[in-house]
Amino acid sequence: MKLASYWHDTAPAFAGGHAGPVEGRYDVAVIGAGFTGLNAARKLARQGVKVAVLDAAHVGAGGSGRNGGHLNNGVAHGYGDAKAHLGAERAKALYQAYDRSIDMIEDVIAEEGIACDFRRSGKLKLASKPSHVAGLQANQELIAREVDPDTAWLDRADLAGEIGSQAFHGAALFRKSAMMHMGKYLTGLADASQRHGATIWENTPVTGRRKTRDGWELETPRGRLAANTVIAATGAYSAQVPGAPLGHFRKRIISMASFIIATRPLTEAEVAATMPGNRTCVTSLNVGNYFRLSPDNRLILGGRARFSAVSDQRSDAKSGEFLRAAMEGIFPHLSGIEIDYCWGGLVGLTTDRFPRAGEADGMIYGMGYSGHGAQLSTLLGQVLADLAMGRRDTNPLDGMDWPAVPALNGKPWFLPLAGMWFRLKDRLS
Ligand SMILES: Cc1cc2nc3c(=O)[nH]c(=O)nc-3n(C[C@H](O)[C@H](O)[C@H](O)COP(=O)(O)OP(=O)(O)OC[C@H]3O[C@@H](n4cnc5c(N)ncnc54)[C@H](O)[C@@H]3O)c2cc1C
């Protein structure tokens, strides 16, 4: 078993990182080379803006290269909850922004010729308990009435053609959802950004920032550059570089680890017995699972095996054992199957689990996707490019309040307590 991301391991590597020292003057400097940062950089570079991208590790080192590969449409919350929290107008606009993000990914793929196995698979939100059915069905009906008629309710009997498991009691189907190979999309985005004129430095942590007369100076161990505007696209990884000038975000982003396993490729007979519908699947428990097939028919299954802010090889391997047990509970016929990959990564949560984008502390930012950002990061990245060019009207999150979390400074000490609370809620639901 490799303790590595399947997406990293099976995508062509981005070979173009700039080898020289960090120097020069740029219109815009982007910190972070995930989907958000690269989409901002690509759009800016295409419009002739001189743009630099700096990543502490490598292209896709963060959540963008470590996720479950689901491009699920609509908000992750119950739509009624989103309306209650955001108001009807903003909830609808945000739901539609997620949908538009998937269309935008398709556009980027077509414009740049990125071969990344994109497919409109549809998503199933699966009821893990009989008591979850009524709530899920009411949510789907509300969505169908108000914002997305391309959804349907599937009864337990309808699931036979979708999923080879007796563990579920019905499901909401969202037909607009999609899947792709996340690593191939990342490499394609980085190549395209560079082709359009962006300069990308990997292994280059931004460790300091100083206000100058006409903008900012960013400091790294490889040198300094000047920029009129700085974009922070560091998401859940905002606390990974000690001393980085991202304190504003470290007080707001709750970084939490999520973990994934990928089996060996399933045979045709195993695919038919496991995932005949070949959609993205998410279960309805708070501490639940998400799974799909890879382009080469591995079952990729993730979940919050532990409530911790640590993803390293020891923690990932330990979590892999929990995930194997969860997989075997859902698909008993896969018991004992070889696990070829096991990895983890950090998701960046906000307290209300809605993302944020705007300007603060002298930077433009977009983050807080709360585990549901593989799609929205393409739209928000482009929104950040618009903001850098002085345009605010494309931001679906414009003006949303984002208070600091009390006593948070990069280390979410309260995660084990949150884990106990969510497990208890699942047991009682
Ligand atoms: C295990 C897991 C499963 C997930 N599954 C899904 C899913 O199936 N569907 C979905 O929609 N979403 C999913 N997500 C969430 C999704 O992957 C993220 O929302 C999205 O990738 C965020 O992209 P980003 O570009 O904003 O941030 P990231 O991809 O995290 O990039 C941030 C980058 O900033 C860099 N950085 C940080 N600090 C500095 C610094 N000081 N200097 C320079 N660089 C710095 C990091 O090295 C990193 O590369 C998952 C996330 C994880 C971890």
Side-chain angles (χ1 to χ4, degrees):
M1 178 177 80
K2 289 188 184 179
L3 289 172
S5 159
Y6 165 80
W7 311 119
H8 287 159
D9 199 50
T10 56
F14 167 61
H18 192 71
V22 173
E23 59 190 2
R25 167 144 217 109
Y26 290 82
D27 298 318
V28 180
V30 180
I31 312 177
F35 295 143
T36 307
L38 291 172
N39 272 290
R42 186 190 82 98
K43 179 160 185 181
L44 288 165
R46 272 165 65 95
Q47 306 207 1
V49 174
K50 194 174 176 204
V51 56
V53 181
L54 304 136
D55 197 284
H58 57 86
V59 162
S64 301
R66 302 177 166 277
N67 56 65
H70 298 209
L71 302 173
N72 292 333
N73 74 298
V75 292
H77 305 62
Y79 187 60
D81 296 343
K83 281 173 71 178
H85 189 77
L86 300 173
E89 206 178 315
R90 169 108 59 190
K92 188 168 188 179
L94 191 56
Y95 191 103
Q96 290 168 338
Y98 280 95
D99 288 6
R100 213 163 54 252
S101 311
I102 304 177
D103 299 340
M104 287 169 91
I105 290 171
E106 266 194 297
D107 292 346
V108 171
I109 290 169
E111 280 163 22
E112 305 295 355
I114 303 173
C116 59
D117 308 301
F118 178 95
R119 196 168 71 78
R120 286 276 176 183
S121 54
K123 160 190 141 179
L124 294 177
K125 176 89 184 221
L126 294 154
S128 297
K129 291 186 163 187
S131 57
H132 294 186
V133 166
L136 285 177
Q137 191 167 5
N139 182 51
Q140 179 273 318
E141 284 167 5
L142 179 67
I143 287 172
R145 248 187 344 267
E146 297 196 2
V147 68
D148 184 1
D150 222 356
T151 59
W153 180 256
L154 307 183
D155 287 323
R156 188 180 168 97
D158 304 324
L159 289 183
E162 293 287 350
I163 180 166
S165 171
Q166 296 304 310
F168 303 107
H169 305 272
L173 168 63
F174 297 79
R175 293 192 184 85
K176 288 188 186 132
S177 293
M179 56 169 79
M180 66 178 170
H181 190 302
M182 311 314 269
K184 291 181 184 174
Y185 181 59
L186 276 165
T187 304
L189 271 178
D191 284 340
S193 304
Q194 194 144 271
R195 208 166 45 242
H196 295 302
T199 306
I200 301 177
W201 277 278
E202 297 182 299
N203 302 309
T204 308
V206 175
T207 50
R209 181 184 62 143
R210 192 173 66 83
K211 183 92 188 90
T212 60
R213 203 159 35 88
D214 46 3
W216 298 96
E217 187 179 72
L218 294 186
E219 192 172 315
T220 80
R222 295 173 62 181
R224 295 187 175 131
L225 62 72
N228 299 340
T229 304
V230 176
I231 292 179
T234 46
Y237 289 76
S238 298
Q240 78 167 4
V241 175
L246 301 164
H248 180 85
F249 307 110
R250 284 197 289 273
K251 293 186 169 70
R252 287 163 173 79
I253 284 280
I254 304 162
S255 298
M256 180 159 83
S258 191
F259 304 93
I260 301 188
I261 51 175
T263 64
R264 64 154 168 75
L266 305 186
T267 62
E268 263 179 48
E270 286 168 333
V271 167
T274 307
M275 296 283 278
N278 204 349
R279 305 188 191 272
T280 62
C281 294
V282 182
T283 68
S284 60
L285 292 168
N286 289 300
V287 190
N289 295 104
Y290 45 93
F291 46 93
R292 55 163 280 192
L293 292 177
S294 67
D296 59 352
N297 286 338
R298 300 166 189 278
L299 183 69
I300 298 185
L301 179 139
R304 266 175 218 135
R306 309 165 62 219
F307 276 70
S308 135
V310 178
S311 166
D312 56 22
Q313 294 212 322
R314 204 170 134 257
S315 167
D316 295 357
K318 205 164 152 194
S319 302
E321 287 308 310
F322 288 107
L323 292 176
R324 172 190 276 284
M327 177 191 72
E328 293 179 352
I330 297 170
F331 300 112
H333 60 276
L334 295 183
S335 293
I337 193 170
E338 296 91 322
I339 305 292
D340 282 355
Y341 294 92
C342 173
W343 72 95
L346 301 180
V347 296
L349 305 169
T350 58
T351 48
D352 59 11
R353 296 195 296 129
F354 291 105
R356 298 293 194 280
E359 296 191 51
D361 194 28
M363 285 178 273
I364 290 169
Y365 67 89
M367 58 182 79
Y369 300 103
S370 303
H372 189 53
Q375 63 308 72
L376 193 69
S377 45
T378 287
L379 181 140
L380 273 200
Q382 299 198 25
V383 162
L384 304 193
D386 288 342
L387 285 172
M389 291 186 289
R391 195 175 159 192
R392 271 178 71 175
D393 62 330
T394 56
N395 182 4
L397 305 163
D398 188 40
M400 264 176 79
D401 193 25
W402 194 16
V405 180
L408 178 68
N409 194 7
K411 289 208 172 84
W413 50 269
F414 42 80
L415 281 183
L417 295 176
M420 278 158 64
W421 167 241
F422 284 122
R423 287 199 169 92
L424 181 67
K425 272 179 81 169
D426 283 343
R427 212 166 300 140
L428 299 179
S429 68

